[in-house]
Amino acid sequence: KAGVTQTPRYLIKTRGQQVTLSCSPISGHRSVSWYQQTPGQGLQFLFEYFSETQRNKGNFPGRFSGRQFSNSRSEMNVSTLELGDSALYLCASATSVSYNEQFFGPGTRLTVL
Amino acid sequence: AQTVTQSQPEMSVQEAETVTLSCTYDTSESNYYLFWYKQPPSRQMILVIRQEAYKQQNATENRFSVNFQKAAKSFSLKISDSQLGDTAMYFCAFMKPRSDMRFGAGTRLTVKP
């Protein structure tokens, strides 16, 4: 079974721009969660989608948004990028049964200049 | 709010020896899950071991085992017969059912030949 894939792997943007990151979960997994990883703040939860609905949301500003499609693929969007948005963005997928067993993708490294 | 604390930012161990990574957490919940994740330099997070709070028996996965002390809210990871491939960041994580995962700051483990 293929693992969680994320595209692109690396991204460089400038302040003020917007960016969209993509995550394809493991086949059969309906839950997709997004995390931001930075040296200063560590791993922080952004949001979780399950069956195209946002089920949980972390404490991030409204510039961070996401969605999930009917095939469970998920996208995360960050508008009006700030320097502090530079981070590794990880997505994780889980089944509806073993929702507590999350499988992580390799991440997208976003650099904001 | 649930918090996870890893008090050892860095540790090192000689190959073939045993090392224990510490983790404490704070929660008022009685039903939850605890995890140890490994993040090697390649960045992909890998689940090492998982413990359900309602299970008294400590989880074991090959060379990895945990010491789960529910009353003390402690969840340490023991790695036996350390191998060079165990070099990585190790994250302790807490999760309530159907909620987001909370991570500790991580412990950087170096296995020396």
PDB file of all heavy atoms in Angstrom, chain A residues 14-39:
ATOM      1  N   THR A  14       7.238  34.378  -1.398  1.00  0.00           N
ATOM      2  CA  THR A  14       7.553  35.671  -0.789  1.00  0.00           C
ATOM      3  C   THR A  14       6.369  36.155   0.044  1.00  0.00           C
ATOM      4  O   THR A  14       5.225  35.693  -0.145  1.00  0.00           O
ATOM      5  CB  THR A  14       7.913  36.729  -1.848  1.00  0.00           C
ATOM      6  OG1 THR A  14       6.820  36.819  -2.770  1.00  0.00           O
ATOM      7  CG2 THR A  14       9.172  36.341  -2.597  1.00  0.00           C
ATOM      8  N   ARG A  15       6.680  37.033   0.954  1.00  0.00           N
ATOM      9  CA  ARG A  15       5.641  37.572   1.835  1.00  0.00           C
ATOM     10  C   ARG A  15       4.479  38.131   1.038  1.00  0.00           C
ATOM     11  O   ARG A  15       4.670  38.785   0.003  1.00  0.00           O
ATOM     12  CB  ARG A  15       6.216  38.681   2.709  1.00  0.00           C
ATOM     13  CG  ARG A  15       6.961  38.191   3.927  1.00  0.00           C
ATOM     14  CD  ARG A  15       7.488  39.347   4.741  1.00  0.00           C
ATOM     15  NE  ARG A  15       8.425  40.160   3.990  1.00  0.00           N
ATOM     16  CZ  ARG A  15       8.964  41.292   4.437  1.00  0.00           C
ATOM     17  NH1 ARG A  15       8.621  41.750   5.613  1.00  0.00           N
ATOM     18  NH2 ARG A  15       9.814  41.954   3.705  1.00  0.00           N
ATOM     19  N   GLY A  16       3.281  37.879   1.529  1.00  0.00           N
ATOM     20  CA  GLY A  16       2.102  38.399   0.864  1.00  0.00           C
ATOM     21  C   GLY A  16       1.475  37.435  -0.127  1.00  0.00           C
ATOM     22  O   GLY A  16       0.298  37.585  -0.475  1.00  0.00           O
ATOM     23  N   GLN A  17       2.264  36.473  -0.606  1.00  0.00           N
ATOM     24  CA  GLN A  17       1.717  35.507  -1.548  1.00  0.00           C
ATOM     25  C   GLN A  17       0.854  34.483  -0.819  1.00  0.00           C
ATOM     26  O   GLN A  17       0.769  34.474   0.405  1.00  0.00           O
ATOM     27  CB  GLN A  17       2.853  34.780  -2.288  1.00  0.00           C
ATOM     28  CG  GLN A  17       3.573  35.638  -3.307  1.00  0.00           C
ATOM     29  CD  GLN A  17       4.573  34.810  -4.110  1.00  0.00           C
ATOM     30  OE1 GLN A  17       5.386  34.063  -3.551  1.00  0.00           O
ATOM     31  NE2 GLN A  17       4.526  34.958  -5.432  1.00  0.00           N
ATOM     32  N   GLN A  18       0.194  33.657  -1.595  1.00  0.00           N
ATOM     33  CA  GLN A  18      -0.545  32.563  -1.012  1.00  0.00           C
ATOM     34  C   GLN A  18       0.011  31.245  -1.547  1.00  0.00           C
ATOM     35  O   GLN A  18       0.709  31.214  -2.564  1.00  0.00           O
ATOM     36  CB  GLN A  18      -2.042  32.667  -1.311  1.00  0.00           C
ATOM     37  CG  GLN A  18      -2.453  32.279  -2.716  1.00  0.00           C
ATOM     38  CD  GLN A  18      -3.966  32.077  -2.829  1.00  0.00           C
ATOM     39  OE1 GLN A  18      -4.745  32.549  -1.997  1.00  0.00           O
ATOM     40  NE2 GLN A  18      -4.385  31.376  -3.856  1.00  0.00           N
ATOM     41  N   VAL A  19      -0.277  30.167  -0.819  1.00  0.00           N
ATOM     42  CA  VAL A  19       0.277  28.874  -1.203  1.00  0.00           C
ATOM     43  C   VAL A  19      -0.751  27.779  -0.931  1.00  0.00           C
ATOM     44  O   VAL A  19      -1.564  27.892  -0.006  1.00  0.00           O
ATOM     45  CB  VAL A  19       1.578  28.592  -0.415  1.00  0.00           C
ATOM     46  CG1 VAL A  19       1.306  28.406   1.079  1.00  0.00           C
ATOM     47  CG2 VAL A  19       2.307  27.388  -0.978  1.00  0.00           C
ATOM     48  N   THR A  20      -0.712  26.756  -1.758  1.00  0.00           N
ATOM     49  CA  THR A  20      -1.573  25.588  -1.569  1.00  0.00           C
ATOM     50  C   THR A  20      -0.722  24.338  -1.518  1.00  0.00           C
ATOM     51  O   THR A  20       0.105  24.103  -2.400  1.00  0.00           O
ATOM     52  CB  THR A  20      -2.602  25.454  -2.710  1.00  0.00           C
ATOM     53  OG1 THR A  20      -3.429  26.621  -2.726  1.00  0.00           O
ATOM     54  CG2 THR A  20      -3.476  24.228  -2.504  1.00  0.00           C
ATOM     55  N   LEU A  21      -0.916  23.561  -0.466  1.00  0.00           N
ATOM     56  CA  LEU A  21      -0.191  22.313  -0.294  1.00  0.00           C
ATOM     57  C   LEU A  21      -1.179  21.161  -0.434  1.00  0.00           C
ATOM     58  O   LEU A  21      -2.347  21.281  -0.030  1.00  0.00           O
ATOM     59  CB  LEU A  21       0.463  22.250   1.098  1.00  0.00           C
ATOM     60  CG  LEU A  21       1.259  23.469   1.548  1.00  0.00           C
ATOM     61  CD1 LEU A  21       1.868  23.218   2.921  1.00  0.00           C
ATOM     62  CD2 LEU A  21       2.328  23.825   0.540  1.00  0.00           C
ATOM     63  N   SER A  22      -0.682  20.041  -0.937  1.00  0.00           N
ATOM     64  CA  SER A  22      -1.566  18.909  -1.187  1.00  0.00           C
ATOM     65  C   SER A  22      -1.132  17.680  -0.417  1.00  0.00           C
ATOM     66  O   SER A  22       0.066  17.458  -0.196  1.00  0.00           O
ATOM     67  CB  SER A  22      -1.596  18.600  -2.694  1.00  0.00           C
ATOM     68  OG  SER A  22      -2.449  17.506  -2.959  1.00  0.00           O
ATOM     69  N   CYS A  23      -2.101  16.887  -0.023  1.00  0.00           N
ATOM     70  CA  CYS A  23      -1.839  15.661   0.723  1.00  0.00           C
ATOM     71  C   CYS A  23      -2.757  14.556   0.206  1.00  0.00           C
ATOM     72  O   CYS A  23      -3.980  14.727   0.167  1.00  0.00           O
ATOM     73  CB  CYS A  23      -2.089  15.899   2.206  1.00  0.00           C
ATOM     74  SG  CYS A  23      -2.038  14.393   3.222  1.00  0.00           S
ATOM     75  N   SER A  24      -2.162  13.442  -0.172  1.00  0.00           N
ATOM     76  CA  SER A  24      -2.942  12.272  -0.569  1.00  0.00           C
ATOM     77  C   SER A  24      -2.785  11.200   0.498  1.00  0.00           C
ATOM     78  O   SER A  24      -1.663  10.728   0.732  1.00  0.00           O
ATOM     79  CB  SER A  24      -2.467  11.739  -1.922  1.00  0.00           C
ATOM     80  OG  SER A  24      -2.778  12.643  -2.941  1.00  0.00           O
ATOM     81  N   PRO A  25      -3.873  10.831   1.170  1.00  0.00           N
ATOM     82  CA  PRO A  25      -3.775   9.855   2.260  1.00  0.00           C
ATOM     83  C   PRO A  25      -3.593   8.443   1.741  1.00  0.00           C
ATOM     84  O   PRO A  25      -3.707   8.180   0.535  1.00  0.00           O
ATOM     85  CB  PRO A  25      -5.123  10.007   2.970  1.00  0.00           C
ATOM     86  CG  PRO A  25      -6.064  10.412   1.882  1.00  0.00           C
ATOM     87  CD  PRO A  25      -5.254  11.280   0.961  1.00  0.00           C
ATOM     88  N   ILE A  26      -3.324   7.559   2.659  1.00  0.00           N
ATOM     89  CA  ILE A  26      -3.261   6.132   2.337  1.00  0.00           C
ATOM     90  C   ILE A  26      -4.651   5.703   1.853  1.00  0.00           C
ATOM     91  O   ILE A  26      -5.670   6.155   2.402  1.00  0.00           O
ATOM     92  CB  ILE A  26      -2.828   5.324   3.568  1.00  0.00           C
ATOM     93  CG1 ILE A  26      -1.367   5.664   3.912  1.00  0.00           C
ATOM     94  CG2 ILE A  26      -3.010   3.834   3.360  1.00  0.00           C
ATOM     95  CD1 ILE A  26      -0.891   5.084   5.217  1.00  0.00           C
ATOM     96  N   SER A  27      -4.681   4.858   0.857  1.00  0.00           N
ATOM     97  CA  SER A  27      -5.945   4.394   0.310  1.00  0.00           C
ATOM     98  C   SER A  27      -6.821   3.799   1.409  1.00  0.00           C
ATOM     99  O   SER A  27      -6.388   2.960   2.206  1.00  0.00           O
ATOM    100  CB  SER A  27      -5.669   3.328  -0.763  1.00  0.00           C
ATOM    101  OG  SER A  27      -6.873   2.814  -1.278  1.00  0.00           O
ATOM    102  N   GLY A  28      -8.069   4.278   1.466  1.00  0.00           N
ATOM    103  CA  GLY A  28      -8.994   3.791   2.484  1.00  0.00           C
ATOM    104  C   GLY A  28      -9.058   4.663   3.726  1.00  0.00           C
ATOM    105  O   GLY A  28      -9.969   4.521   4.544  1.00  0.00           O
ATOM    106  N   HIS A  29      -8.094   5.556   3.880  1.00  0.00           N
ATOM    107  CA  HIS A  29      -8.097   6.458   5.030  1.00  0.00           C
ATOM    108  C   HIS A  29      -8.972   7.662   4.730  1.00  0.00           C
ATOM    109  O   HIS A  29      -8.805   8.311   3.699  1.00  0.00           O
ATOM    110  CB  HIS A  29      -6.675   6.920   5.353  1.00  0.00           C
ATOM    111  CG  HIS A  29      -5.839   5.861   5.984  1.00  0.00           C
ATOM    112  ND1 HIS A  29      -4.655   6.158   6.645  1.00  0.00           N
ATOM    113  CD2 HIS A  29      -6.013   4.529   6.090  1.00  0.00           C
ATOM    114  CE1 HIS A  29      -4.140   5.031   7.115  1.00  0.00           C
ATOM    115  NE2 HIS A  29      -4.936   4.031   6.779  1.00  0.00           N
ATOM    116  N   ARG A  30      -9.865   7.987   5.648  1.00  0.00           N
ATOM    117  CA  ARG A  30     -10.784   9.096   5.420  1.00  0.00           C
ATOM    118  C   ARG A  30     -10.467  10.327   6.270  1.00  0.00           C
ATOM    119  O   ARG A  30     -11.051  11.374   6.089  1.00  0.00           O
ATOM    120  CB  ARG A  30     -12.209   8.628   5.688  1.00  0.00           C
ATOM    121  CG  ARG A  30     -12.683   7.568   4.691  1.00  0.00           C
ATOM    122  CD  ARG A  30     -13.934   6.876   5.152  1.00  0.00           C
ATOM    123  NE  ARG A  30     -15.059   7.787   5.279  1.00  0.00           N
ATOM    124  CZ  ARG A  30     -16.210   7.460   5.849  1.00  0.00           C
ATOM    125  NH1 ARG A  30     -16.381   6.264   6.363  1.00  0.00           N
ATOM    126  NH2 ARG A  30     -17.194   8.339   5.902  1.00  0.00           N
ATOM    127  N   SER A  31      -9.562  10.155   7.214  1.00  0.00           N
ATOM    128  CA  SER A  31      -9.186  11.281   8.069  1.00  0.00           C
ATOM    129  C   SER A  31      -7.821  11.814   7.641  1.00  0.00           C
ATOM    130  O   SER A  31      -6.876  11.045   7.453  1.00  0.00           O
ATOM    131  CB  SER A  31      -9.120  10.817   9.527  1.00  0.00           C
ATOM    132  OG  SER A  31      -8.497  11.791  10.338  1.00  0.00           O
ATOM    133  N   VAL A  32      -7.749  13.129   7.487  1.00  0.00           N
ATOM    134  CA  VAL A  32      -6.477  13.785   7.175  1.00  0.00           C
ATOM    135  C   VAL A  32      -6.279  14.933   8.152  1.00  0.00           C
ATOM    136  O   VAL A  32      -7.155  15.789   8.314  1.00  0.00           O
ATOM    137  CB  VAL A  32      -6.463  14.323   5.730  1.00  0.00           C
ATOM    138  CG1 VAL A  32      -5.179  15.130   5.490  1.00  0.00           C
ATOM    139  CG2 VAL A  32      -6.551  13.182   4.722  1.00  0.00           C
ATOM    140  N   SER A  33      -5.135  14.928   8.809  1.00  0.00           N
ATOM    141  CA  SER A  33      -4.784  16.003   9.741  1.00  0.00           C
ATOM    142  C   SER A  33      -3.566  16.736   9.220  1.00  0.00           C
ATOM    143  O   SER A  33      -2.697  16.142   8.581  1.00  0.00           O
ATOM    144  CB  SER A  33      -4.483  15.433  11.133  1.00  0.00           C
ATOM    145  OG  SER A  33      -5.612  14.805  11.690  1.00  0.00           O
ATOM    146  N   TRP A  34      -3.484  18.012   9.544  1.00  0.00           N
ATOM    147  CA  TRP A  34      -2.345  18.840   9.141  1.00  0.00           C
ATOM    148  C   TRP A  34      -1.660  19.392  10.383  1.00  0.00           C
ATOM    149  O   TRP A  34      -2.320  19.796  11.342  1.00  0.00           O
ATOM    150  CB  TRP A  34      -2.818  20.007   8.274  1.00  0.00           C
ATOM    151  CG  TRP A  34      -3.251  19.620   6.896  1.00  0.00           C
ATOM    152  CD1 TRP A  34      -4.507  19.247   6.506  1.00  0.00           C
ATOM    153  CD2 TRP A  34      -2.440  19.577   5.721  1.00  0.00           C
ATOM    154  NE1 TRP A  34      -4.519  18.980   5.156  1.00  0.00           N
ATOM    155  CE2 TRP A  34      -3.267  19.178   4.649  1.00  0.00           C
ATOM    156  CE3 TRP A  34      -1.095  19.853   5.456  1.00  0.00           C
ATOM    157  CZ2 TRP A  34      -2.797  19.038   3.339  1.00  0.00           C
ATOM    158  CZ3 TRP A  34      -0.627  19.721   4.154  1.00  0.00           C
ATOM    159  CH2 TRP A  34      -1.471  19.312   3.115  1.00  0.00           C
ATOM    160  N   TYR A  35      -0.323  19.411  10.328  1.00  0.00           N
ATOM    161  CA  TYR A  35       0.487  19.931  11.428  1.00  0.00           C
ATOM    162  C   TYR A  35       1.556  20.866  10.868  1.00  0.00           C
ATOM    163  O   TYR A  35       2.062  20.657   9.772  1.00  0.00           O
ATOM    164  CB  TYR A  35       1.183  18.791  12.181  1.00  0.00           C
ATOM    165  CG  TYR A  35       0.249  17.826  12.866  1.00  0.00           C
ATOM    166  CD1 TYR A  35      -0.296  16.750  12.176  1.00  0.00           C
ATOM    167  CD2 TYR A  35      -0.092  18.004  14.201  1.00  0.00           C
ATOM    168  CE1 TYR A  35      -1.159  15.865  12.795  1.00  0.00           C
ATOM    169  CE2 TYR A  35      -0.950  17.108  14.838  1.00  0.00           C
ATOM    170  CZ  TYR A  35      -1.476  16.043  14.121  1.00  0.00           C
ATOM    171  OH  TYR A  35      -2.335  15.164  14.744  1.00  0.00           O
ATOM    172  N   GLN A  36       1.891  21.851  11.666  1.00  0.00           N
ATOM    173  CA  GLN A  36       2.995  22.748  11.343  1.00  0.00           C
ATOM    174  C   GLN A  36       4.149  22.444  12.285  1.00  0.00           C
ATOM    175  O   GLN A  36       3.944  22.335  13.495  1.00  0.00           O
ATOM    176  CB  GLN A  36       2.567  24.213  11.523  1.00  0.00           C
ATOM    177  CG  GLN A  36       3.658  25.211  11.169  1.00  0.00           C
ATOM    178  CD  GLN A  36       3.358  26.598  11.704  1.00  0.00           C
ATOM    179  OE1 GLN A  36       3.305  26.809  12.899  1.00  0.00           O
ATOM    180  NE2 GLN A  36       3.166  27.551  10.793  1.00  0.00           N
ATOM    181  N   GLN A  37       5.336  22.273  11.738  1.00  0.00           N
ATOM    182  CA  GLN A  37       6.500  21.991  12.563  1.00  0.00           C
ATOM    183  C   GLN A  37       7.551  23.073  12.369  1.00  0.00           C
ATOM    184  O   GLN A  37       8.038  23.295  11.261  1.00  0.00           O
ATOM    185  CB  GLN A  37       7.103  20.621  12.232  1.00  0.00           C
ATOM    186  CG  GLN A  37       8.252  20.225  13.160  1.00  0.00           C
ATOM    187  CD  GLN A  37       8.785  18.828  12.886  1.00  0.00           C
ATOM    188  OE1 GLN A  37       8.610  18.267  11.800  1.00  0.00           O
ATOM    189  NE2 GLN A  37       9.426  18.241  13.886  1.00  0.00           N
ATOM    190  N   THR A  38       7.889  23.751  13.459  1.00  0.00           N
ATOM    191  CA  THR A  38       8.930  24.772  13.446  1.00  0.00           C
ATOM    192  C   THR A  38       9.887  24.528  14.601  1.00  0.00           C
ATOM    193  O   THR A  38       9.503  23.923  15.604  1.00  0.00           O
ATOM    194  CB  THR A  38       8.341  26.193  13.596  1.00  0.00           C
ATOM    195  OG1 THR A  38       7.646  26.258  14.852  1.00  0.00           O
ATOM    196  CG2 THR A  38       7.390  26.527  12.471  1.00  0.00           C
ATOM    197  N   PRO A  39      11.133  24.994  14.482  1.00  0.00           N
ATOM    198  CA  PRO A  39      12.087  24.811  15.582  1.00  0.00           C
ATOM    199  C   PRO A  39      11.630  25.475  16.878  1.00  0.00           C
ATOM    200  O   PRO A  39      11.860  24.954  17.952  1.00  0.00           O
ATOM    201  CB  PRO A  39      13.362  25.461  15.046  1.00  0.00           C
ATOM    202  CG  PRO A  39      13.220  25.420  13.562  1.00  0.00           C
ATOM    203  CD  PRO A  39      11.756  25.596  13.304  1.00  0.00           C
TER     204      PRO A  39
END
